[in-house]
Amino acid sequence: MVQLSLEYLVRQPKVSHPKPPLLIMLHGYGSNEQDLFSFASELPDELLIISARAPLSLGFGSYAWYTIHFDAGSSDKFSDIPEAMASLKLIDRFIDEIVENFEIDSKNIFLLGFSQGTILSSAYAINHPHKVQHVVALSGYINEQLINGPLEKQAFKNLDFFVSHGSVDQVIPVEWARKTGPFLEKLNIPFTFQEYPVGHGVAPQNFFDLERWVRERCVTD
């Protein structure tokens, strides 16, 4: 396996194609690269799927992209911003390495994140809209402290989002996620926003909906 700057797991496409679409998975706080990868086999056969491990070890197989202040009570104090910015730089390097080392369609790249992984996936895509095209944002929110300005609407013409959240999420309040739509609307970024009657997790219907959304964008020439 090719050595990259982050530890990772890979699922090769089940359908042969010289330049397959790429889907990168970014897990949540306290998890690891195995978590989201557990449903890689259920995602479209055309995809090359790479699941990354966050750089900060919490011990016992748990990792984080940055420190979370669970008692903060507000979205603007929830995240350690310097650590999150450092992880965004790592993710940028990691994506560049993937593009250099794997045969992929660089015009059809997905970022799929959960929770902390969603916060970073969303910020990364908005900061680098020329590098990724699709974001699956599960149980997270947009942290504007991680967004680089100024934001020009024309830059986002090839970007779209699938956003979902549990309506009774006990970790990241759904009210934080509901601000995602208005933020994306201001930038003319198309999006789908769905709520499901669950906590901090992915309901079966949620997975069905996101899989369909991804499949519709997995077209290969």
Side-chain angles (χ1 to χ4, degrees):
M1 196 160 70
V2 178
Q3 183 150 3
L4 305 179
S5 53
L6 292 172
E7 296 290 329
Y8 68 98
L9 296 172
V10 60
R11 191 211 76 178
Q12 295 290 343
K14 299 178 184 178
V15 177
S16 179
H17 193 276
K19 288 190 176 292
L22 168 70
L23 185 144
I24 299 169
M25 296 175 158
L26 302 181
H27 65 77
Y29 181 91
S31 188
N32 59 48
E33 70 277 19
Q34 298 275 359
D35 187 15
L36 296 174
F37 197 71
S38 64
F39 58 72
S41 62
E42 304 301 320
L43 290 171
D45 293 346
E46 295 86 350
L47 289 166
L48 171 68
I49 300 176
I50 293 180
S51 184
R53 179 195 295 175
L56 304 178
S57 176
L58 304 176
F60 305 102
S62 297
Y63 296 86
W65 298 99
Y66 55 85
T67 302
I68 288 179
H69 308 295
F70 287 102
D71 58 349
S74 64
S75 59
D76 60 337
K77 297 179 180 178
F78 191 66
S79 304
D80 185 302
I81 299 303
E83 288 182 0
M85 295 295 285
S87 277
L88 283 171
K89 289 181 180 179
L90 268 177
I91 292 165
D92 188 38
R93 178 182 172 187
F94 184 67
I95 291 175
D96 285 346
E97 291 171 345
I98 293 172
V99 172
E100 290 170 8
N101 288 280
F102 291 85
E103 291 295 329
I104 58 103
D105 181 0
S106 61
K107 301 299 182 185
N108 202 6
I109 295 178
F110 296 77
L111 282 181
L112 186 156
F114 177 78
S115 192
Q116 194 177 73
T118 283
I119 295 166
L120 292 182
S121 294
S122 300
Y124 182 85
I126 292 168
N127 290 338
H128 303 278
H130 59 293
K131 289 191 174 183
V132 298
Q133 291 74 43
H134 316 292
V135 178
V136 179
L138 309 175
S139 301
Y141 65 98
I142 288 181
N143 188 333
E144 295 189 40
Q145 294 174 286
L146 301 177
I147 306 297
N148 300 328
L151 302 177
E152 298 181 7
K153 294 179 182 179
Q154 181 62 20
F156 307 112
K157 62 181 181 179
N158 296 317
L159 188 61
D160 60 1
F161 276 64
F162 175 92
V163 185
S164 67
H165 212 89
S167 58
V168 288
D169 192 320
Q170 71 281 22
V171 177
I172 296 179
V174 67
E175 288 78 16
W176 298 3
R178 288 172 180 161
K179 297 177 182 178
T180 301
F183 181 89
L184 296 176
E185 281 180 348
K186 289 179 182 178
L187 300 177
N188 289 344
I189 298 175
F191 68 93
T192 295
F193 180 81
Q194 300 284 351
E195 290 181 24
Y196 303 88
V198 295
H200 197 60
V202 179
Q205 184 62 44
N206 190 169
F207 180 79
F208 175 81
D209 291 341
L210 78 86
E211 190 277 337
R212 181 177 55 191
W213 188 90
V214 170
R215 182 167 15 97
E216 290 170 351
R217 288 156 179 77
C218 264
V219 185
T220 55
D221 295 328

